[in-house]
Amino acid sequence: MSRSGADLALLLLGGFRSLVDAATAELARRGYEDVRPVHDFAMRAITAGADNASELGRRLSVSKQAAAKTIAVLQERGYVARDTDPRDARRKRLHVTPLGFEVLRQGEAVFDELRDQWERQLGAAELATLETHLATLVGARPVRLDAPGWIAQDLGESV
Amino acid sequence: MSRSGADLALLLLGGFRSLVDAATAELARRGYEDVRPVHDFAMRAITAGADNASELGRRLSVSKQAAAKTIAVLQERGYVARDTDPRDARRKRLHVTPLGFEVLRQGEAVFDELRDQWERQLGAAELATLETHLATLVGARPVRLDAPGWIAQDLGESV
DNA sequence: CTCGTTTCGACAACCTTGTTGTCCATGACA
DNA sequence: TGTCATGGACAACAAGGTTGTCGAAACGAG
């Protein structure tokens, strides 16, 4: 019974959403409400060296204005902080706060737990195979997490 | 090398986006630009019996106002048409036009071609296994395609 | 040293896809 | 007939993104 291509797309989306929805819920349960993937993604980029809004925008493939808005939210929640750069007065150096790191750590743990759960359902070897195959198909293309409503914009067809 | 849970989520998202982006591009190439997944989804629901805005909203788990906006777009493009219901003057009966059906048909074909491509890369049996496993993990939960920016809102963590 | 160019950050206006709230016309029913 | 439910339209607003503009600071060439 060969499934249709549209079904396959739906399966992938469904898998992703299952994971993500569960993770979001668990994070909220642990006291980190309002944590969004974009936030996590941004914090990782900041940790990795994107210490100003313009650079963060570039790394996330988003306009610097959008990056600035994300930063504003993160800052408001206390996940990142900014101070002026003594060497370049135009910049405000960004860094992730201990609280921000805690969110990152917990988020990772939650996702790993979910993966373990799937592993118990499918078996370690099976899940590993599935991952390998997906990796083959997806390739090394970086995944962008931006673009609000992209699901509605890009999801081209038949899904 | 056990991958992390976050990577798994990213793989799923990546797979989905690969498919969808390719399909959108191909559809555009065939002359159907600006076709969005939501449109396809909505047309299917209309075909399946959601012949008015309120009902469509319910089926798509979206407010009737949002459904009405989608309908307005579809109508403008000529994919659906509306006429008054002779038995209930409050209603405007919806139906998909031949052009709309053509879009649906082509969209399906595009997705199937993409699936075939993956099948050639992985082998029929392997892809079937992958699909079966995903289906197991995802369960029968219907996938909602709504919520603008849900990716940014729900993607909870670590992804 | 000064002038032009580039870069950062902020502000404003606008788009898109949702959401609620409100309202009227119509239909269903007691 | 009077009351209540429903469909559709309109308005106001939210979230996330975009582009355009602009001032301040830095850099580099004369």
Side-chain angles (χ1 to χ4, degrees), chain A residues 115 118-119 122-138, chain B residues 1-3 8 11-12 122-123 125-131 133-134 137:
Chain A
R115 205 198 93 108
W118 278 21
E119 200 168 82
L122 238 50
E126 296 291 324
L127 185 58
T129 305
L130 189 148
E131 288 172 334
T132 306
H133 284 160
L134 279 177
T136 304
L137 297 170
V138 173
Chain B
M1 71 106 200
S2 165
R3 293 172 147 275
L8 176 54
L11 274 180
L12 292 166
L122 237 51
E126 295 292 323
L127 184 59
T129 305
L130 189 148
E131 288 172 337
H133 284 160
L134 279 178
L137 296 170

Side-chain angles (χ1 to χ4, degrees), chain B:
Chain B
M1 71 106 200
S2 165
R3 293 172 147 275
S4 81
D7 283 344
L8 176 54
L10 238 24
L11 274 180
L12 292 166
L13 176 60
F16 174 73
R17 292 215 54 178
S18 298
L19 237 34
V20 155
D21 288 353
T24 305
E26 175 61 19
L27 260 290
R29 218 180 54 68
R30 293 189 185 187
Y32 300 102
E33 309 195 18
D34 281 340
V35 177
R36 305 275 174 272
V38 165
H39 302 154
D40 183 281
F41 208 61
M43 283 193 277
R44 284 181 201 289
I46 292 169
T47 306
D51 69 344
N52 66 74
S54 296
E55 178 58 26
L56 182 61
R58 271 179 238 119
R59 302 241 190 151
L60 300 181
S61 307
V62 135
S63 65
K64 63 179 178 181
Q65 290 86 341
K69 291 186 191 178
T70 301
I71 291 169
V73 173
L74 288 173
Q75 195 174 359
E76 187 189 324
R77 307 229 171 108
Y79 297 153
V80 307
R82 305 201 304 174
D83 45 42
T84 55
D85 188 325
R87 290 172 308 182
D88 187 340
R90 289 172 307 178
R91 304 195 176 200
K92 304 273 181 72
R93 274 185 315 186
L94 284 170
H95 60 269
V96 177
T97 64
L99 179 61
F101 277 117
E102 179 60 16
V103 172
L104 289 177
R105 203 186 58 67
Q106 294 245 17
E108 229 159 281
V110 167
F111 264 104
D112 287 349
E113 278 163 32
L114 288 169
R115 205 201 93 109
D116 286 348
Q117 209 170 298
W118 279 20
E119 201 168 82
R120 283 194 294 280
Q121 272 187 262
L122 237 51
E126 295 292 323
L127 184 59
T129 305
L130 189 148
E131 288 172 337
T132 307
H133 284 160
L134 279 178
T136 304
L137 296 170
V138 173
R141 177 181 329 99
V143 179
R144 289 180 50 180
L145 283 185
D146 54 320
W150 68 258
I151 187 184
Q153 290 165 0
D154 294 351
L155 215 196
E157 246 318 291
S158 231
V159 57

Side-chain angles (χ1 to χ4, degrees), chain A residues 26-141:
Chain A
E26 175 61 20
L27 260 291
R29 217 179 55 67
R30 293 189 185 189
Y32 301 102
E33 310 195 17
D34 280 340
V35 177
R36 305 275 174 272
V38 166
H39 302 155
D40 183 281
F41 208 61
M43 283 194 278
R44 283 180 201 291
I46 292 168
T47 305
D51 69 345
N52 65 76
S54 296
E55 179 58 26
L56 182 61
R58 270 180 238 119
R59 301 241 190 151
L60 300 181
S61 307
V62 135
S63 65
K64 63 180 178 178
Q65 289 86 342
K69 291 187 191 176
T70 301
I71 291 170
V73 173
L74 288 172
Q75 195 176 358
E76 187 189 325
R77 306 230 171 108
Y79 296 154
V80 307
R82 306 202 302 175
D83 46 43
T84 56
D85 188 325
R87 289 171 310 182
D88 186 340
R90 292 172 307 178
R91 306 196 174 199
K92 304 274 181 71
R93 276 184 314 186
L94 283 169
H95 60 270
V96 177
T97 64
L99 178 61
F101 278 117
E102 179 59 17
V103 172
L104 288 177
R105 204 185 58 68
Q106 294 246 17
E108 229 159 283
V110 167
F111 264 104
D112 287 349
E113 278 164 30
L114 288 168
R115 205 198 93 108
D116 286 348
Q117 210 170 299
W118 278 21
E119 200 168 82
R120 283 194 294 279
Q121 272 186 264
L122 238 50
E126 296 291 324
L127 185 58
T129 305
L130 189 148
E131 288 172 334
T132 306
H133 284 160
L134 279 177
T136 304
L137 297 170
V138 173
R141 177 183 327 101

